[in-house]
Amino acid sequence: MNKSTSLVAKLNAINEYERQPIPESKLKSWKKFIGTYAGEHTAGTEFVLGPLFVAHGASAIDLVTGLLIGNVLAVLSWAFFTGKIAAKTRLTLYYQLEKIAGSKFTLIYNLVNAGLFCFLAGAMIAVSATAVGIPFNLEMPTLTDILPNSLGWILTVFAIGAITTVVAMFGFEQVSKFANIAAPWMIMVFIAAAVGVLPRLGINSLADFWPVAKNTIWTGVPLEGQSQFTFWHITFFAWFCNMAMHIGMADMSILRYAKKWTAGFSTASGVFLGHYIAWIASGILYSLFLLESNNSLTFAPGPIAYEAAGIAGAVCVVIAGWTTANPTLYRAGLAIQSINPNWKTWKVTLFVGLFTTIAACFPALVMRLLEFVALYGLILMPVGAVIFIDVYFMERWGLVKNYALESGKKLNPAVAFTWILTLGFCLVLNLFADVEIFFLGLPGWFVAVIAYLIFSKLFQKPIVFKTQKVNLTSEPILNH
């Protein structure tokens, strides 16, 4: 057997249990998830999002308190929403949704979901490329760039995309190993870089920090052309920037491997290291960059980190981008593979990786990251509300859970109308009530809950339960 045949055989042997519960022998301790989440959230996005608080004129006190409260709410959402349901069902989001909504709705949802994940992973590949291009004097994209600006940029993006895709092709085990290796030193580089530049900002003692933080770093005055961020913007952004993963239930695909639902609290390793310390650290680096370069249009994470921490900073940006892109590509691959169980996950991930890498060539994906992160969470949020209600409350209120499975229907109209109504409601709030996108998730979730219950009452018909007969996948149905 030659090497290529052996590699294909090894890939084909990978079983990610896409349409069945995770066997007990494959469950993992909370320690595995600490590394995974620390790596994923101490990531390339932090080099983009942290500076945006500086650009949007957040004040120091609003930043510190808003991030604290928002991140606590995010961890609680991961544990009590996603963690509990993942441990109860042991299924991917995609198969759980198919049982509730039917294969036709799931097909549409999975395509939308996979596309959004691809764009997010692509943004992270592009972030890594800004660092890899430094030794080659690669022309960096600016805030106004939409299309690739050079052949060198495209080649750099494709090289990084290839490595990211290969890691994701080998499944959750390899993604977890990669993150556990990278995470411990990455956060140290974030912290060391920020501490190292403090004297250049005029901070030579602990007593100097807060006055400089208020007057120089987070001044409360936005850059020209940027909107003003308040305490509420920061709190809700910290809570909902990963809304697709927790309230939207996408991380069922990860946390289904956990021995206990409390592994959801392991996300604290990511949000407090990445979405607190790393955002503050990258904000410090960006404020120094603004002071010394006097160029508010340049927003390339690689050069910003390199100016502060040298080669270590640039390498950190590269690895940080990978550790977000890897699990995101893994999720996207599962979303597409769930459309046809006969497709091998590694082959799907290879295709998804190619699409993602092409998308990463377009700088606009990074420059509009703030809005994109909020939008993709909002789009996936209604389905998370549907799953939450279906798993816990349908039978209590005299309704049928897993209605598509039990009725044999390929489309549960209650889910489709809930999704459409909720997003329509959020759009109306945004357009006519001038509610910013960061605040739409909370009222939208309650609308989705109420809408799903009402539509289920309207559309569910009396049925003879067919759990042992009806099978959406022609595979044995497992009781949970």
Side-chain angles (χ1 to χ4, degrees):
M1 181 181 293
N2 59 43
K3 291 184 178 180
S4 62
T5 304
S6 176
L7 177 61
V8 171
K10 185 175 181 180
L11 288 167
N12 285 333
I14 296 172
N15 184 1
E16 292 297 309
Y17 308 98
E18 296 91 348
R19 303 180 72 82
Q20 64 189 91
I22 300 295
E24 189 172 350
S25 62
K26 297 294 183 179
L27 299 182
K28 304 179 186 302
S29 72
W30 58 272
K31 295 179 182 178
K32 285 282 186 181
F33 298 93
I34 285 182
T36 298
Y37 281 107
E40 182 178 357
H41 296 286
T42 308
T45 49
E46 279 50 82
F47 281 105
V48 179
L49 297 176
L52 285 174
F53 295 118
V54 176
H56 282 276
S59 70
I61 188 63
D62 285 348
L63 184 81
V64 172
T65 55
L67 291 184
L68 177 63
I69 295 173
N71 283 324
V72 168
L73 291 171
V75 172
L76 294 176
S77 298
W78 256 301
F80 288 101
F81 281 75
T82 322
K84 283 205 167 189
I85 290 179
K88 183 179 179 67
T89 64
R90 299 292 179 198
L91 299 175
T92 66
L93 159 72
Y94 316 109
Y95 186 44
Q96 181 66 45
L97 180 61
E98 184 176 317
K99 297 201 299 179
I100 298 170
S103 58
K104 288 185 176 180
F105 178 85
T106 306
L107 171 62
I108 297 172
Y109 173 84
N110 286 347
L111 290 174
V112 172
N113 194 15
L116 293 170
F117 282 143
C118 285
F119 289 134
L120 178 60
M124 294 306 94
I125 291 172
V127 165
S128 293
T130 64
V132 173
I134 291 174
F136 306 104
N137 292 319
L138 189 68
E139 183 181 355
M140 296 296 168
T142 67
L143 284 171
T144 57
D145 283 341
I146 297 176
L147 300 176
N149 58 3
S150 68
L151 177 61
W153 172 258
I154 294 174
L155 294 176
T156 303
V157 166
F158 264 83
I160 296 171
I163 297 172
T164 304
T165 301
V166 168
V167 173
M169 282 166 56
F170 280 91
F172 178 78
E173 186 68 30
Q174 297 307 316
V175 171
S176 176
K177 285 181 180 179
F178 189 92
N180 276 283
I181 292 172
W185 70 267
M186 262 198 315
I187 187 59
M188 297 308 298
V189 173
F190 266 102
I191 297 171
V195 171
V197 303
L198 291 180
R200 291 158 67 180
L201 286 167
I203 301 174
N204 297 299
S205 67
L206 189 61
D208 294 334
F209 179 79
W210 192 247
V212 174
K214 291 190 299 180
N215 300 318
T216 304
I217 304 173
W218 300 283
T219 62
V221 179
L223 297 180
E224 184 178 354
Q226 303 298 316
S227 60
Q228 177 74 56
F229 266 25
T230 66
F231 164 82
W232 295 109
H233 287 85
I234 297 166
T235 300
F236 274 85
F237 185 79
W239 184 10
F240 286 156
C241 67
N242 286 116
M243 180 163 54
M245 309 302 180
H246 47 71
I247 293 176
M249 299 291 173
D251 270 2
M252 283 179 63
S253 300
I254 301 294
L255 290 173
R256 65 194 171 118
Y257 282 94
K259 290 181 179 179
K260 297 180 180 179
W261 70 268
T262 50
F265 289 109
S266 298
T267 56
S269 66
V271 298
F272 281 102
L273 289 176
H275 298 179
Y276 200 94
I277 294 175
W279 282 357
I280 289 174
S282 60
I284 291 172
L285 300 183
Y286 184 57
S287 66
L288 176 70
F289 184 83
L290 290 175
L291 285 174
E292 295 188 347
S293 70
N294 196 29
N295 181 2
S296 60
L297 288 179
T298 300
F299 208 79
I304 292 173
Y306 179 74
E307 286 295 323
I311 295 175
V315 171
C316 185
V317 171
V318 175
I319 301 299
W322 284 346
T323 54
T324 297
N326 279 327
T328 306
L329 269 183
Y330 173 74
R331 293 186 184 99
L334 284 178
I336 295 294
Q337 191 276 341
S338 65
I339 295 172
N340 185 341
N342 294 322
W343 293 341
K344 288 293 183 182
T345 303
W346 73 268
K347 292 181 179 179
V348 173
T349 305
L350 179 61
F351 169 78
V352 167
L354 176 62
F355 176 81
T356 298
T357 302
I358 293 173
C361 294
F362 295 86
L365 206 58
V366 174
M367 304 312 168
R368 305 293 294 179
L369 185 62
L370 187 68
E371 292 85 353
F372 173 75
V373 166
L375 178 62
Y376 98 96
L378 188 66
I379 290 174
L380 303 186
M381 169 271 296
V383 167
V386 165
I387 292 174
F388 177 79
I389 292 298
D390 203 88
V391 169
Y392 285 118
F393 296 103
M394 292 296 275
E395 291 179 338
R396 298 184 189 181
W397 292 331
L399 296 167
V400 178
K401 65 188 297 185
N402 297 332
Y403 183 71
L405 175 66
E406 299 295 352
S407 65
K409 294 182 180 295
K410 293 185 178 181
L411 176 65
N412 181 350
V415 180
F417 282 117
T418 296
W419 199 24
I420 294 170
L421 178 66
T422 303
L423 295 182
F425 169 80
C426 292
L427 181 62
V428 169
L429 280 184
N430 181 250
L431 293 179
F432 299 103
D434 202 27
V435 178
E436 294 182 68
I437 193 170
F438 312 109
F439 306 115
L440 295 174
L442 188 58
W445 188 86
F446 287 101
V447 168
V449 166
I450 295 170
Y452 181 55
L453 290 172
I454 292 174
F455 286 133
S456 294
K457 281 284 188 182
L458 291 175
F459 289 112
Q460 283 196 7
K461 307 295 184 184
I463 61 174
V464 176
F465 286 91
K466 301 177 181 180
T467 303
Q468 300 303 322
K469 298 179 181 179
V470 173
N471 192 332
L472 297 178
T473 66
S474 71
E475 296 175 2
I477 296 295
L478 300 177
N479 293 321
H480 315 304

